[in-house]
Amino acid sequence: MADRGIRLVVKVGTSTLTDKSGRIDRAFIADMAASLSAQLEAGSEVLVVTSGAIRAGRERLEASFSQRSYLNRSQPSDFQTTLPFKQASAAIGQGLLIHTYSEAFAWRGVDCAQILLTRDDLADRKRFLNARNTLLALLTLGVVPIINENDTVAVDEIKFGDNDMLAALVAALVEADMLLILSDVEGLYQKLPSEESSDHTAIPIACVPIITEEIESLAGISKSGVGTGGMRTKVEAAKVATEAGIKTVIARGRRLHVIEDVMAGLEIGTTFLPRNDSERLPARKRWIAHNARPKGEVIVNLCAKAKLVEESVSLLAVGLIAVNGSFVSGDLIEVKDENGEIFARGLSNYASSEVQRVLGLKSEQLEQALGYRGFEEIIHRDNLVIDR
């Protein structure tokens, strides 16, 4: 890095942030702030993606409930399991959490800034660029952005799903050099260690050159993309980050000197190597692949799919057999094959009503069908991302 040190994104989850009693561990946050402040002193830039707002809010509410018994009587018995309660907890806890981080970094003479994001903030291209500009300005000022999902308004339709993915998208947004995911396990294992098992010899995979289907299966990711477990989201995040050319490390957050050792290049946890320059997606295609939200879909025949996958060509009307959803020109749409498998996504040159009128037509027939001269392609190859 000629002009700066390493640009590092650190993700820390609730399970790592909490102590054995399930409360936010402020001593751990203080130690982490000390380690990250040392990296700043060494010339690196640091961003933190943190969970814990809901947990911090619950702590404060539990204390209030114990002091004001009338609060317990005023709520339904299952109220604390509802989404509004979780959002209210986040609203209370977010201020407490950023206060904890700000105090911890202030002891080292470092300023923090709170950034709350939703999926829609990164799905909209203008807001995406605004978020990027803000984060880069904070880094220029030597400020540490403390980033979390905006749980006070996030619902299923706009949630990132997990702060692991948020961290990967933020890392790609600011073109970080490294993403460090602090976990409650040592890394990605060939075989998960079990408390019930007598086998205590399991060790994490040291290095993953490329994330294959075999690696995904170790994390519980099926071919259909359906899976469960904390490691699943971490490997999915690593895939997004490495596609953007970002080295990714999963390591146990409670390991002594974990940040210092990872930054020193020691073999800690599992390292996922970044794609090389010829393989990584350019910035615009990264946004199409991971941030934008699809508004509809088109279905292509198998011949068109083969050409798109093997030859990296534009999507033409002649290969289309169906269109679903309602979208306008410039919207993101998914591309499916005849078997219903999504294998690409891209920005449509035409509205769904127009695509419906040109299904199966050759490019020279589009003007007559539409009544005006438009684009030859439904999706230009520069705005098309193939799922590999």
Side-chain angles (χ1 to χ4, degrees):
M1 317 305 163
D3 298 323
R4 60 171 172 83
I6 296 292
R7 180 171 290 165
L8 171 68
V9 174
V10 176
K11 183 267 176 178
V12 56
T14 303
S15 60
T16 303
L17 280 177
T18 50
D19 58 23
K20 292 180 180 179
S21 65
R23 302 176 68 83
I24 297 296
D25 190 339
R26 287 153 181 82
F28 172 82
I29 292 177
D31 289 342
M32 183 172 65
S35 295
L36 294 176
S37 297
Q39 298 303 320
L40 289 169
E41 285 289 327
S44 294
E45 297 173 335
V46 174
L47 304 91
V48 176
V49 176
T50 182
S51 301
I54 294 176
R55 183 65 58 87
R58 283 180 181 271
E59 281 185 30
R60 178 57 60 87
L61 286 171
E62 287 170 2
S64 297
F65 291 158
S66 66
Q67 296 172 13
R68 294 180 288 166
S69 59
Y70 68 88
L71 290 175
N72 291 321
R73 296 194 301 269
S74 65
Q75 56 180 288
S77 59
D78 63 345
F79 179 59
Q80 293 190 26
T81 65
T82 65
L83 179 60
F85 179 81
K86 293 177 181 178
Q87 291 174 315
S89 297
I92 296 167
Q94 192 61 57
L96 300 171
L97 189 63
I98 190 62
H99 178 71
T100 301
Y101 274 104
S102 295
E103 279 197 330
F105 276 101
W107 275 100
R108 282 84 191 171
V110 176
D111 291 323
C112 294
Q114 178 176 250
I115 305 290
L116 300 178
L117 296 171
T118 66
R119 171 69 81 171
D120 278 354
D121 292 319
L122 300 187
D124 180 89
R125 184 67 177 172
K126 184 175 181 180
R127 287 155 67 181
F128 172 91
L129 293 173
N130 285 339
R132 171 182 163 82
N133 291 337
T134 298
L135 290 171
L136 293 181
L138 289 170
L139 295 179
T140 299
L141 294 169
V143 175
V144 175
I146 307 296
I147 304 162
N148 196 359
E149 184 171 13
N150 191 354
D151 291 317
T152 60
V153 299
V155 294
D156 288 344
E157 289 77 11
I158 60 175
K159 285 177 69 67
F160 290 96
D162 189 280
N163 274 351
D164 295 318
M165 183 56 68
L166 172 59
L169 295 175
V170 166
L173 178 69
V174 300
E175 298 179 339
D177 302 297
M178 182 185 297
L179 168 61
L180 172 56
I181 299 177
L182 298 179
S183 177
D184 53 1
V185 295
E186 298 288 349
L188 176 65
Y189 293 89
Q190 282 282 5
K191 186 176 84 169
L192 288 177
S194 171
E195 292 182 3
E196 293 79 18
S197 171
S198 59
D199 178 15
H200 300 290
T201 62
I203 59 174
I205 301 170
C207 183
V208 177
I210 187 169
I211 299 175
T212 61
E213 287 186 8
E214 179 183 2
I215 293 297
E216 291 178 333
S217 68
L218 292 175
I221 305 173
S222 68
K223 192 171 183 180
S224 65
V226 178
T228 58
M231 190 53 64
R232 174 181 63 84
T233 59
K234 291 172 177 54
V235 172
E236 288 175 339
K239 188 173 185 179
V240 170
T242 55
E243 283 180 355
I246 300 166
K247 179 181 177 181
T248 302
V249 178
I250 300 173
R252 187 167 65 87
R254 293 274 172 165
R255 183 188 185 279
L256 192 63
H257 306 309
V258 60
I259 293 173
E260 294 88 341
D261 288 347
V262 168
M263 292 294 284
L266 301 184
E267 192 175 278
I268 305 298
T270 299
T271 298
F272 298 82
L273 298 182
R275 296 290 186 93
N276 59 42
D277 290 341
S278 63
E279 295 176 324
R280 70 185 58 169
L281 290 173
R284 182 173 176 81
K285 287 199 172 187
R286 290 201 302 270
W287 177 78
I288 291 171
H290 304 300
N291 293 288
R293 300 176 65 189
K295 300 293 181 63
E297 64 183 31
V298 293
I299 300 174
V300 304
N301 59 43
L302 295 179
C303 179
K305 177 183 179 180
K307 289 183 70 67
L308 290 170
V309 172
E310 298 168 9
E311 301 178 28
S312 299
V313 296
S314 299
L315 173 60
L316 305 179
V318 68
L320 298 179
I321 58 177
V323 56
N324 297 315
S326 177
F327 52 88
V328 299
S329 174
D331 278 348
L332 179 82
I333 60 174
E334 293 177 327
V335 184
K336 292 184 176 180
D337 62 22
E338 296 176 55
N339 299 319
E341 180 183 350
I342 301 171
F343 70 92
R345 49 167 38 197
L347 303 179
S348 177
N349 284 330
Y350 292 100
S352 52
S353 58
E354 295 170 316
V355 176
Q356 186 68 53
R357 289 155 58 187
V358 300
L359 294 176
L361 298 184
K362 295 181 179 179
S363 296
E364 57 267 24
Q365 298 175 301
L366 298 190
E367 183 175 356
Q368 182 177 355
L370 296 172
Y372 70 92
R373 185 176 182 83
F375 297 92
E376 292 186 359
E377 315 89 356
I378 302 301
I379 304 177
H380 191 276
R381 63 178 180 271
D382 290 344
N383 294 323
L384 183 68
V385 179
I386 306 297
D387 181 6
R388 301 186 186 278

